[in-house]
Amino acid sequence: MISSLFVKNKKQARKEIADLTNNNILNDFDITELRKKIEILFVDDENFRIIELLKKHRYNVTYKNDISDLNDALAYDIILCDIRGVGKEFDSPHEGAYLIKELKANYPRKVVIAYSGSTYDTTYTQYFNLADHVMLKDSTIDHWTNVLDSEIKKMVDPVVQWGKIRQELLDKGVSINVVSGLEDEYVSAIMSKNFDSFKNYGADRGDATKNVVNSVVKTLLVQLLVEGIINGSK
Amino acid sequence: MEASNLLPIYLIGYEIKDGYLIKMNDFCRKNCNSKKCEDHYKKIFASDVGIYECPHGFTTYAFQYGPNKEIFTSFKLKDHFNKKKVKGKFQENIFSPVLTEQQLNDIVVEYLRSYKIALEHNEAVSFIKDGLHEIRGLNGQVLTYSEELVERMNNLSNKKQDKESLEMARSISATSFIIASRFSAYDATVNPESLKLGSKYSTSIYGKFHMCKKCLLGETKRKELRINIRGESTKKINTYQTFDLIPFLLLDNAIKYSPNGQDIDIRFSEKSDELIITIESCGPFLSESEIEMIFTKNYRAPSAIETGVQGSGIGLFLAQQICELHKIAIKISFQKSDYIDKKVTYGCFKVELKLSATP
């Protein structure tokens, strides 16, 4: 009886993502600081001018004329990919559009933005729908910055990110109980600005769970932001 | 686009494809991959063009088109098919008359004609697809360079600023924006799915109208029109990128049909949970029944056609589609006036957009 009450109380004490609803983590943060922290990759066979202009607006942009391996995109948080003239190594007639599909399948938490001059073409619609956003090649600089800033904010928004992490963990077969425990640790880490316990959460689990949790924890951008705030406030 | 074959046609690796007029019979459908039939077609590919009888009694006709050999098969040609062998191999519901050589010749001529059209059509589509993608990329370059130029010139001190050059740079930017909007309208017409591509992002509606007004300044000046924006709004809503087309389509429409020297009034009226935007301009006559048709794709009111202004009846159709996507109510009304120009009666054309809640 006493032990069951204890378990019940312990369960009630678990923190949930809703506890972060009023968290002001993003409120006082300068968007130009965020722009510097987020790594953006442009994949296009033509080095077009907007890349230089975005660099002037303090975005952390790297340009590649193509990628031959998905690992080439591993280090980046946002990937902008033309739908034509790239992804040639993947040997698909849909070129960059196919690359977008592969990037989303392999890196579900990375933001993949398709940019194109071919939105009239119905054969690409299914690929466009897989991307997080579709940009037209002749968009104004205002539109580019509006979309990129909006995606950057989402990338470091703890609530949005938890939604993605949770889905990824469940998709990879991690049990709901483990996910719920990790949610508790995640919320606590953000509230206390200390990720040590969160990072070790997977350590005493089975290998499969440990690997999945570790891979998620390693690439968590929210942590960077929270630690950035700590550093900034010192 | 494919050539229209009226008779069943043999395609290497694809078995036999039905003709549009004469369908393949079930016997051929089941047996065309048999060794006997395959050998028959292999032999024909290696032989001269002409009329053949297949192992099961049907007619096969091989003819040349450019480097390719084409084969019509599974039909009955007078004096060339084997009546005894084909007996019982046709279902009653399959239309398969006995053709004369003249009829076969006519069918081949028609096939070759449609083959040529299909080839030209496919080449043209491929050229347009590649071209549009490239042109949008190049337009993006023009837009970026001109925006950069405007920014640089704006940063110069007043003494160094060449106002005329700055105006030119702005005009290049505006022209590029108009080209981009025209392309987006084309995309949405050809592929309606493109209207809701990407995720939504926060948009200032007032800002979009204001920017559009600036971009259409060239055409406004040319027609000596005045676009007046009255009222203000701080409202932001989450929109798809195609939302940008709404101000463009509505203002472009107003400018296009307005006689020279008129006013175009845009009014913003914002309450706590509602924003109403009205665009009033001078436009050609519209009856009540024509207003009901105004959002129909490709519809143009008779008096709009009478003005001689070019159009395809797409603008308001698209505007309504985009409004619907963003849960914006769009309403058109018209009030006749005494103004007549080149025998066309004009009046006040009013578009009302009503945003009740954040979509």
PDB file of all heavy atoms in Angstrom, chain B residues 200 235-238 273 326-327 355-359:
ATOM      1  N   LYS B 200       3.623  27.411 -42.994  1.00  0.00           N
ATOM      2  CA  LYS B 200       3.140  28.787 -42.879  1.00  0.00           C
ATOM      3  C   LYS B 200       4.115  29.609 -42.044  1.00  0.00           C
ATOM      4  O   LYS B 200       4.826  29.052 -41.207  1.00  0.00           O
ATOM      5  CB  LYS B 200       1.773  28.784 -42.205  1.00  0.00           C
ATOM      6  CG  LYS B 200       0.667  28.241 -43.087  1.00  0.00           C
ATOM      7  CD  LYS B 200      -0.641  28.305 -42.330  1.00  0.00           C
ATOM      8  CE  LYS B 200      -1.803  27.885 -43.182  1.00  0.00           C
ATOM      9  NZ  LYS B 200      -3.064  27.878 -42.429  1.00  0.00           N
ATOM     10  N   LYS B 235      -1.961  43.641 -37.712  1.00  0.00           N
ATOM     11  CA  LYS B 235      -2.307  42.217 -37.664  1.00  0.00           C
ATOM     12  C   LYS B 235      -1.320  41.368 -38.468  1.00  0.00           C
ATOM     13  O   LYS B 235      -0.959  41.694 -39.591  1.00  0.00           O
ATOM     14  CB  LYS B 235      -3.716  42.020 -38.225  1.00  0.00           C
ATOM     15  CG  LYS B 235      -4.324  40.677 -37.864  1.00  0.00           C
ATOM     16  CD  LYS B 235      -5.777  40.625 -38.300  1.00  0.00           C
ATOM     17  CE  LYS B 235      -6.432  39.303 -38.015  1.00  0.00           C
ATOM     18  NZ  LYS B 235      -6.623  39.029 -36.605  1.00  0.00           N
ATOM     19  N   LYS B 236      -0.904  40.269 -37.833  1.00  0.00           N
ATOM     20  CA  LYS B 236      -0.059  39.298 -38.530  1.00  0.00           C
ATOM     21  C   LYS B 236      -0.792  37.966 -38.527  1.00  0.00           C
ATOM     22  O   LYS B 236      -1.401  37.605 -37.513  1.00  0.00           O
ATOM     23  CB  LYS B 236       1.283  39.136 -37.806  1.00  0.00           C
ATOM     24  CG  LYS B 236       2.233  40.275 -38.066  1.00  0.00           C
ATOM     25  CD  LYS B 236       3.608  39.935 -37.541  1.00  0.00           C
ATOM     26  CE  LYS B 236       4.627  40.959 -38.032  1.00  0.00           C
ATOM     27  NZ  LYS B 236       6.000  40.532 -37.728  1.00  0.00           N
ATOM     28  N   ILE B 237      -0.753  37.275 -39.640  1.00  0.00           N
ATOM     29  CA  ILE B 237      -1.359  35.944 -39.660  1.00  0.00           C
ATOM     30  C   ILE B 237      -0.357  34.959 -40.238  1.00  0.00           C
ATOM     31  O   ILE B 237       0.602  35.347 -40.913  1.00  0.00           O
ATOM     32  CB  ILE B 237      -2.672  35.895 -40.488  1.00  0.00           C
ATOM     33  CG1 ILE B 237      -2.418  36.277 -41.950  1.00  0.00           C
ATOM     34  CG2 ILE B 237      -3.759  36.762 -39.885  1.00  0.00           C
ATOM     35  CD1 ILE B 237      -3.582  35.944 -42.865  1.00  0.00           C
ATOM     36  N   ASN B 238      -0.588  33.679 -39.956  1.00  0.00           N
ATOM     37  CA  ASN B 238       0.298  32.654 -40.513  1.00  0.00           C
ATOM     38  C   ASN B 238      -0.180  32.304 -41.917  1.00  0.00           C
ATOM     39  O   ASN B 238      -1.334  31.921 -42.098  1.00  0.00           O
ATOM     40  CB  ASN B 238       0.295  31.409 -39.630  1.00  0.00           C
ATOM     41  CG  ASN B 238       0.998  31.674 -38.321  1.00  0.00           C
ATOM     42  OD1 ASN B 238       1.950  32.459 -38.274  1.00  0.00           O
ATOM     43  ND2 ASN B 238       0.533  31.055 -37.259  1.00  0.00           N
ATOM     44  N   ASP B 273     -10.969  41.534 -33.086  1.00  0.00           N
ATOM     45  CA  ASP B 273     -10.843  40.178 -33.621  1.00  0.00           C
ATOM     46  C   ASP B 273     -11.189  40.115 -35.114  1.00  0.00           C
ATOM     47  O   ASP B 273     -11.496  39.061 -35.646  1.00  0.00           O
ATOM     48  CB  ASP B 273     -11.760  39.225 -32.839  1.00  0.00           C
ATOM     49  CG  ASP B 273     -13.213  39.654 -32.938  1.00  0.00           C
ATOM     50  OD1 ASP B 273     -13.438  40.813 -33.322  1.00  0.00           O
ATOM     51  OD2 ASP B 273     -14.095  38.832 -32.648  1.00  0.00           O
ATOM     52  N   HIS B 326      -6.685  30.328 -46.699  1.00  0.00           N
ATOM     53  CA  HIS B 326      -6.319  31.047 -45.477  1.00  0.00           C
ATOM     54  C   HIS B 326      -7.532  31.479 -44.663  1.00  0.00           C
ATOM     55  O   HIS B 326      -7.418  32.332 -43.775  1.00  0.00           O
ATOM     56  CB  HIS B 326      -5.461  32.277 -45.840  1.00  0.00           C
ATOM     57  CG  HIS B 326      -4.118  31.910 -46.398  1.00  0.00           C
ATOM     58  ND1 HIS B 326      -3.894  31.743 -47.738  1.00  0.00           N
ATOM     59  CD2 HIS B 326      -2.939  31.660 -45.787  1.00  0.00           C
ATOM     60  CE1 HIS B 326      -2.636  31.406 -47.930  1.00  0.00           C
ATOM     61  NE2 HIS B 326      -2.023  31.349 -46.766  1.00  0.00           N
ATOM     62  N   LYS B 327      -8.697  30.896 -45.009  1.00  0.00           N
ATOM     63  CA  LYS B 327      -9.963  31.197 -44.297  1.00  0.00           C
ATOM     64  C   LYS B 327     -10.274  32.702 -44.291  1.00  0.00           C
ATOM     65  O   LYS B 327     -10.671  33.272 -43.281  1.00  0.00           O
ATOM     66  CB  LYS B 327      -9.934  30.650 -42.870  1.00  0.00           C
ATOM     67  CG  LYS B 327      -9.829  29.136 -42.817  1.00  0.00           C
ATOM     68  CD  LYS B 327      -9.977  28.635 -41.398  1.00  0.00           C
ATOM     69  CE  LYS B 327     -10.093  27.130 -41.328  1.00  0.00           C
ATOM     70  NZ  LYS B 327      -8.918  26.412 -41.804  1.00  0.00           N
ATOM     71  N   LEU B 355     -11.025  39.042 -42.482  1.00  0.00           N
ATOM     72  CA  LEU B 355     -10.289  38.061 -41.684  1.00  0.00           C
ATOM     73  C   LEU B 355     -10.872  38.071 -40.282  1.00  0.00           C
ATOM     74  O   LEU B 355     -10.741  39.057 -39.555  1.00  0.00           O
ATOM     75  CB  LEU B 355      -8.808  38.434 -41.592  1.00  0.00           C
ATOM     76  CG  LEU B 355      -7.972  38.339 -42.857  1.00  0.00           C
ATOM     77  CD1 LEU B 355      -8.124  39.573 -43.715  1.00  0.00           C
ATOM     78  CD2 LEU B 355      -6.522  38.150 -42.491  1.00  0.00           C
ATOM     79  N   SER B 356     -11.531  36.973 -39.915  1.00  0.00           N
ATOM     80  CA  SER B 356     -12.206  36.949 -38.619  1.00  0.00           C
ATOM     81  C   SER B 356     -11.308  36.466 -37.496  1.00  0.00           C
ATOM     82  O   SER B 356     -11.344  36.984 -36.399  1.00  0.00           O
ATOM     83  CB  SER B 356     -13.431  36.052 -38.688  1.00  0.00           C
ATOM     84  OG  SER B 356     -14.285  36.541 -39.669  1.00  0.00           O
ATOM     85  N   ALA B 357     -10.550  35.434 -37.745  1.00  0.00           N
ATOM     86  CA  ALA B 357      -9.674  34.892 -36.699  1.00  0.00           C
ATOM     87  C   ALA B 357      -8.364  34.481 -37.337  1.00  0.00           C
ATOM     88  O   ALA B 357      -8.268  34.370 -38.553  1.00  0.00           O
ATOM     89  CB  ALA B 357     -10.339  33.700 -36.045  1.00  0.00           C
ATOM     90  N   THR B 358      -7.342  34.248 -36.520  1.00  0.00           N
ATOM     91  CA  THR B 358      -6.047  33.832 -37.061  1.00  0.00           C
ATOM     92  C   THR B 358      -6.172  32.448 -37.666  1.00  0.00           C
ATOM     93  O   THR B 358      -6.552  31.522 -36.976  1.00  0.00           O
ATOM     94  CB  THR B 358      -4.985  33.788 -35.946  1.00  0.00           C
ATOM     95  OG1 THR B 358      -4.989  35.066 -35.346  1.00  0.00           O
ATOM     96  CG2 THR B 358      -3.619  33.481 -36.497  1.00  0.00           C
ATOM     97  N   PRO B 359      -5.876  32.320 -38.979  1.00  0.00           N
ATOM     98  CA  PRO B 359      -5.983  30.989 -39.574  1.00  0.00           C
ATOM     99  C   PRO B 359      -4.901  30.053 -39.041  1.00  0.00           C
ATOM    100  O   PRO B 359      -3.850  30.506 -38.681  1.00  0.00           O
ATOM    101  CB  PRO B 359      -5.768  31.235 -41.058  1.00  0.00           C
ATOM    102  CG  PRO B 359      -5.690  32.682 -41.258  1.00  0.00           C
ATOM    103  CD  PRO B 359      -5.476  33.330 -39.943  1.00  0.00           C
TER     104      PRO B 359
END
